[in-house]
Amino acid sequence: QVNISDISKVEQGLKAGWIYGYMRDKSQRPVIIINCRTMIDSGVSIEQVVEVADFFLNYVVTNGMVPGKVENWTAIFDLRNVGVTELPSKHISSLVKSMSVNYCGRMFKFFATDCNWLVRSMMYMVHKFVDEFTKRKLLTFADDYRPALHEIVAVESLEEKYGGKLPDKKDNFWPPQLN
């Protein structure tokens, strides 16, 4: 269990903007954005990724959920402007492992956006090894994700970069702005 009252060790990471919460989807689930370009540029270590994400997700569960009504989230995993050789695969695998162990069942949909052909090919291989339920949650797109994303999240609750009407978030990443 993460102590969400002790923010000191993770505050810098939370304010960096590589993971943040911004608004809710059509079913009131928090929308969580993981910006890989910002993660790479911040030079954050694998341990820091897991520690910050764990703190952040625990905060969202504690403060952004309504037991019996809203118990999971929609995630946007933004790979815009990330080259194949830059992909922080160790960071991503550590993050996914931590999330699947500590937050099992919390993810409603996972939109991997702006994926290059190699990432889409890798995800195609992953889909061969996961059950149908999980396949329906893991959605991988090049730049053609907007129609599918807009089915789940209203354009009024999305940043312009995702085809929404809200200005792109450039600061004030912490605390999550879910309403």
Side-chain angles (χ1 to χ4, degrees):
Q1 189 72 4
V2 176
N3 179 1
I4 60 171
S5 63
D6 182 16
I7 192 172
S8 60
K9 287 171 50 179
V10 295
E11 189 169 15
Q12 184 178 354
L14 292 168
K15 291 180 175 180
W18 59 262
I19 185 169
Y20 60 98
Y22 198 32
M23 305 310 278
R24 293 177 180 268
D25 69 14
K26 291 178 180 178
S27 295
Q28 297 305 306
R29 291 178 286 259
V31 176
I32 296 171
I33 293 97
I34 296 118
N35 185 318
C36 283
R37 177 79 261 155
T38 305
M39 182 189 299
I40 293 165
D41 292 346
S42 71
V44 62
S45 72
I46 295 169
E47 294 78 18
Q48 289 169 311
V49 165
V50 172
E51 196 170 26
V52 170
D54 201 32
F55 183 97
F56 176 86
L57 295 172
N58 195 24
Y59 180 92
V60 170
V61 168
T62 304
N63 298 289
M65 302 290 181
V66 180
K69 296 186 185 323
V70 179
E71 296 188 330
N72 49 18
W73 54 66
T74 296
I76 299 172
F77 197 77
D78 189 337
L79 286 158
R80 183 175 296 138
N81 300 321
V82 176
V84 176
T85 58
E86 294 180 291
L87 200 62
S89 55
K90 289 180 181 169
H91 288 62
I92 293 167
S93 63
S94 294
L95 182 60
V96 169
K97 184 177 178 183
S98 174
M99 287 176 74
S100 62
V101 169
N102 299 319
Y103 303 97
C104 182
R106 292 289 186 182
M107 185 157 33
F108 174 67
K109 291 281 186 198
F110 178 90
F111 290 87
T113 65
D114 295 288
C115 299
N116 60 48
W117 66 272
L118 185 59
V119 172
R120 290 193 314 275
S121 300
M122 290 182 336
M123 287 301 289
Y124 177 74
M125 294 303 294
V126 167
H127 274 234
K128 290 184 175 210
F129 299 102
V130 298
D131 59 89
E132 282 301 316
F133 181 71
T134 304
K135 276 184 204 175
R136 288 193 303 269
K137 287 182 169 201
L138 302 175
L139 307 172
T140 307
F141 298 92
D143 58 0
D144 57 345
Y145 59 87
R146 289 178 178 182
L149 180 60
H150 295 174
E151 282 182 31
I152 307 292
V153 186
V155 293
E156 292 79 17
S157 296
L158 279 172
E159 294 170 85
E160 290 175 358
K161 65 183 171 184
Y162 303 118
K165 295 184 176 181
L166 294 173
D168 290 346
K169 199 113 175 74
K170 297 189 186 320
D171 55 17
N172 298 320
F173 295 107
W174 181 257
Q177 295 170 316
L178 302 176
N179 299 315

